[in-house]
């Protein structure tokens, strides 16, 4: 479990399961982390690197996809090799949640992703 807030200003503390996190990114304007799940967006104070160390030290394996974004590879269903995007739904639509992958990190990310999540589809 991870205690997060429902608003950027810190209101509405709630607990979420780490396994429900799709990806996390750093908010450049504020010193906080934005967490995206299937149902909502949550917030944590502090730097992304700190929270990744905390989460990964608990046995999870979040991977950097660029310098300000980390993804939970267990929730990735497919990766578009042309546009370098990770998707979390079996059927990709306009409303599907996606996470962009930096071109210079793509090959390293896919290598680590396929080692941890053998069910992922590369399209």
């Amino acid at each position: 479990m991870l205690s997060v807030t429902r608003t950027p200003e810190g209101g509405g503390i709630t607990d979420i399961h780490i396994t429900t996190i799709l990806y996390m990114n750093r908010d450049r304007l504020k010193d906080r982390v934005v967490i995206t799940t299937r149902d909502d967006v949550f917030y944590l104070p502090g730097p992304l690197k700190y929270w990744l160390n905390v989460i990964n030290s608990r046995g999870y394996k979040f991977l950097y996809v660029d310098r300000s974004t980390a993804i939970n590879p267990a929730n990735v269903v497919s990766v578009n090799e042309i546009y370098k995007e990770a998707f979390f739904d079996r059927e990709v639509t306009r409303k599907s949640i996606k996470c962009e992958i930096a071109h210079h990190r793509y090959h390293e990310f896919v290598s680590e992703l396929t080692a941890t999540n053998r069910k992922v589809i590369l399209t």
Side-chain angles (χ1 to χ4, degrees), residues 16-30:
I16 62 171
H17 289 280
I18 294 172
T19 58
T20 65
I21 298 172
L22 301 179
Y23 66 92
M24 305 166 57
N25 61 308
R26 179 177 61 103
D27 181 345
R28 291 185 176 122
L29 300 176
K30 306 279 184 182

Side-chain angles (χ1 to χ4, degrees), residues 39-50:
D39 303 319
D40 214 340
V41 174
F42 301 98
Y43 304 90
L44 285 171
L48 178 62
K49 186 174 184 175
Y50 171 82

Side-chain angles (χ1 to χ4, degrees), residues 52-105:
L52 283 183
N53 287 336
V54 168
I55 289 170
N56 286 343
S57 71
R58 303 279 300 160
Y60 298 95
K61 179 79 170 139
F62 279 62
L63 304 172
Y64 275 105
V65 292
D66 73 22
R67 67 181 174 179
S68 63
T69 307
I71 200 167
N72 184 352
N75 290 330
V76 176
V77 174
S78 67
V79 176
N80 182 307
E81 295 180 288
I82 296 170
Y83 296 109
K84 313 294 191 254
E85 297 171 328
F87 290 93
F88 307 94
D89 299 317
R90 293 203 189 289
E91 291 187 34
V92 176
T93 66
R94 288 183 192 217
K95 294 182 180 183
S96 294
I97 299 171
K98 65 182 175 184
C99 182
E100 294 181 19
I101 305 162
H103 286 256
H104 68 280
R105 291 187 191 230

Side-chain angles (χ1 to χ4, degrees), residues 76-77 90 114 117-121:
V76 176
V77 174
R90 293 203 189 289
T114 54
N117 183 350
R118 298 194 184 267
K119 294 181 181 180
V120 71
I121 300 167

